[in-house]
Amino acid sequence: MSILGNRVLRREDESFLTVGATYTADLVHPLLENAATVTYVRSTMAHATISVDTSEAVTMPGVLAVMVAADLDGPSILPGAVPMFPEPMLNRPILATDTVRFVGECVAVIVSETATQGVDAAEAVFVDYEPLPVVVDMEEALTDEVVVYAEVGTNLAIDFSAIGMATGITDETFFANCDVVTSGRVAHQRTAAAPLEVRSTAAAWDGDKLVFWTSNQGPQGVKGVLGTLYAETATGGVQVIVPDVGGGFGAKIAAYPEDVLLPWLAQKIGRPMRWFETRTENMQAMGPGRAHVHRFTLGGSADGNLTHYRLEVLVDSGAYARLGAFLPMFTLPMTTGVYDIASVETSALSVITNTTPTEAYRGAGRPEATLTIERAVELWSFQAGLDPIDVRRRNFLAADSFPVTTGVGTVYDSGEYERSLDLALEAADYPALREQQAQRRAEGGAKQLGIGVATYVEVTAGPAPGGSEYGKVEITPEGKARIYSGALSHGQSHMTTFSMIAADQLGIDMNDIEFVQGDTDVVTQGVGTFGSRSTQLGGSSIHKASGAIVERARSIAADLLEANVDDVVLDKAAGLFHVAGSPAVSRTWADIAAATDDLSEESKEDLLCSYPFGTHVAVVEVDTETGGVTLLRMITCDDAGRIINPLIVEGQRHGGIAQGVAQALYEEVVYDADGNLQTANFADYGFISAAELPSFELVPLETPTPNNPLGVKGIGESGAIGSTPAVQSAVIDALRPLGITHIDVPLSPEKVWSALAVAQES
Amino acid sequence: MQVSITINGNLVSHDVEPRTLLVHFIREQAELTGTNVGCDSSSCGACTIHVNGEAVKSCTMLAVQADGQEVTTIEGLADGDTLHPMQQAFHECHALQCGYCTPGMVMAAVSLLDEKPDANEAEVREGLEGNLCRCTGYHNIVKAVLQAGGAQ
Ligand code: FES
Ligand code: FES
């Protein structure tokens, strides 16, 4: 019987539970002996010309060097990952030259013996700021009243219509044939990825070879960046090692300026370097996510048929155009969500502001598409006088229509949207919830019940058409296996999942399969873990390579057994090769390995992306006197295709749901009008805790995808995509009798209370 | 100044600056890196350890304040090769993903059950409010603590 589909406990747990694993800051390595500490001095102003006086700081105890931009005779610019933007916006100075553009930008670097000496010296660096006008709000930035890059002349970083990724917007005649037309503005606040481990990096030179340790989601990407920046000096090559990583959530896909300077410092000072930021630095300078404002118009017939949809996306790129500025690449293809809407038009613009440059954050563009279409359907249904659930049912892409091309031309692989809705509503006991709600309304107390529903579809291993991940499987002389993956597990449990996949093919106990990742000298190719890609791409590669090894092993076994290869079978339960029907004479994996020099196979096949979907139901209690919201229940049906290990998949769902709820209710990165970050630590940022959440009620559904040999879809981000609109709609549902139809996320007590105050006035 | 702390049964003595935080003493002087630092505002609980058997966020205490005290970190929790019931429950319930919160979470959870062995779900959730986890949504952590409670 196959091990796939079983709730196998994690193989990787022990070191985490007993010694706390080995994160970058924990590393002990001969090359890191006598490492010096790196501390960055950061801008305290959002936009200013600067001059930096380091004369006092260099005299401080333990200080080995203090450098500013003018001192950098090596790499000084970190190029952008997506080369689609005007150059000044794209090329990020590693240390600010004469201008700072957001609070937290690095203006100087200190190298010291100890971390505390670095902090002391940082306080002795004097930065003289000549303030420049500041633009913090993305809608204001679009007016170009304050322009951050005078040399570009506009804050507009990119217009997706101009590059053919959006259709462009026509005029109001677009909705001429619709009986009911609803439009609105939907904000998606800026959120912090906030992995519990901050950024952390170390660098050393081994002769002319650069060895670089970093907390990142994709070692090959970092190697690529360093290879370019240090092409002249790293003549012996670049080795990137990613030890255990304390979470990433998209914000650790990129290498940051603070990371890539370490090798140069190590060369200059002649010592290895280590950098471990504070949480405040992390909140200031690690790329946050979301930060969209959408405008939508939805039109349809009076009886509930949705026919026309317009989505206008505005993205806050922050002070430089990084990955965040390009994330409409995930929003636009998912514009119409789960609905069959034939006529669609779109636009998307990214603008520069004096804020931290945005990056990907769990979902990265798809939560935004989902939240807007789900809001639009709710608001349109209110206006049409129809039940939003009925409108959803009427307009779902039908289960028998897959593969289906949507109104924006995206081809979805498989889905059963109505089924996910039915299952979630059934698990929630929806009619009973409505009864309880009616009862509370009739009683007229302060605490009202709200029920919210969202059905979503997203893209994983995207953008379309898909991608690949490197996998290699080899058989050891002892007849065990070793698997290498270019993906980078940082909590996703690849050791367990991937060894299950290999064991299923090889008939070798999964505990006898060694798992290797995160060292570019050992795993020489690969991409990394983000976009919910790893099991479908990386797992499929392990699956294919394992299958290929079995085929080779069968032919070797045939020689050893002096049999015809077609007659040789692998008894997976016993891990033995024999002639079919004659198990008495067999060969072990060790026998096969002994008969050949190298028993290994690789795979990195291109595979199509997939489209997981589901329905989330949220039940909230809203205190209409205080505006406080309590999440009572969260019921989710998330279909990620075939499930390799339900235990791990459920864990991914839980984590995503919590982050989505956090976005709906609590978390928001806030700046004041001068661009000062108001949420620069965990005391001020609304990081969700156990006390604010219920246990989740998960409903299983498995619709395999035809797009990879395992039939799996991504599950890393789904939870964060469905839950935010479900919770948002639930709060609004509680307040609907008061005439409230929309409140933007996060639905903080202040916001809910203000909406109540406005409603009571009118 | 000289600070001597018994950590996981071993006496660790070092000359440190008076401002040295206990968490740094544990990580740097005692070279026990299981205790993590996740914030600079005493908010995350990743640094939670036991001082004389009680859960303490080790970033909120100076090393010198722990002079002469008994400290237990995650490295000292298991009994040889046998995991502490809380560690075992975390494993069985898949209560850790990236693992960064885990040492602090486990230490906090052990202390929570010491104080209230029959804690119910609401009490576990309230009790762990000061320990943040970004990966698990707390669902399986709460489950593990309840399971460990039931087992004790
Ligand atoms: S590091 Fe101690 S509470 Fe966060
Ligand atoms: S397991 Fe990653 S922070 Fe808790």
Side-chain angles (χ1 to χ4, degrees), chain A residues 524-581:
Chain A
T524 53
Q525 303 173 52
V527 181
T529 290
F530 43 82
S532 303
R533 70 199 306 279
S534 292
T535 301
Q536 51 190 318
L537 303 181
S540 291
S541 287
I542 296 295
H543 171 83
K544 291 209 74 154
S546 302
I549 280 207
V550 170
E551 284 316 296
R552 263 183 66 198
R554 278 180 56 231
S555 80
I556 295 166
D559 289 345
L560 296 176
L561 294 164
E562 295 176 3
N564 188 318
V565 64
D566 294 334
D567 300 333
V568 175
V569 294
L570 167 62
D571 174 353
K572 287 187 189 176
L576 295 171
F577 293 87
H578 60 77
V579 172

Side-chain angles (χ1 to χ4, degrees), chain A residues 10 13 16-19 23 26 120 192-194 196 249 279-280 647 651 654-655 659 667 688 690 693 695-696, chain B residues 19 27 33-34 38 40 74-75 87 91-92 94 96-101 121 125 132 134-139:
Chain A
R10 293 218 308 182
D13 279 354
F16 290 97
L17 284 166
T18 55
V19 295
Y23 302 98
D26 305 338
D120 290 345
L196 216 58
F249 310 107
R279 178 57 62 183
T280 300
L647 188 72
H654 295 151
Q659 284 180 349
E667 296 187 9
I688 198 162
L693 288 164
S695 285
F696 308 127
Chain B
R19 62 173 165 173
R27 289 184 54 85
T33 56
D40 48 12
I74 191 71
E75 290 94 337
Q87 291 168 313
H91 174 56
E92 286 169 9
H94 183 33
L96 60 151
Q97 292 181 26
C98 84
Y100 202 79
C101 71
E121 174 169 351
R125 287 185 175 274
L132 301 178
R134 200 54 163 171
C135 301
T136 64
Y138 306 100
H139 181 107

Side-chain angles (χ1 to χ4, degrees), chain A residues 142 189 370 377 454:
Chain A
L142 195 57
Q189 82 273 30
T370 303
V377 167

Side-chain angles (χ1 to χ4, degrees), chain A residues 2 90 96 100 113 117 121 161-162 188 206 241 318 337 369-370 401 407 479 488 509 524 528 568 624 703 747:
Chain A
S2 171
L90 181 68
V100 290
E113 294 291 349
Q117 289 164 345
S161 303
H188 309 257
D206 187 4
I241 300 169
T370 303
S401 66
L488 197 286
D509 188 302
T524 53
V568 175
T624 53
T703 310
L747 293 131

Side-chain angles (χ1 to χ4, degrees), chain B residues 36-48 57-60 130:
Chain B
N36 292 324
V37 174
C39 74
D40 48 12
S41 52
S42 314
S43 310
C44 76
C47 63
T48 306
K57 290 181 175 178
S58 61
C59 73
T60 62

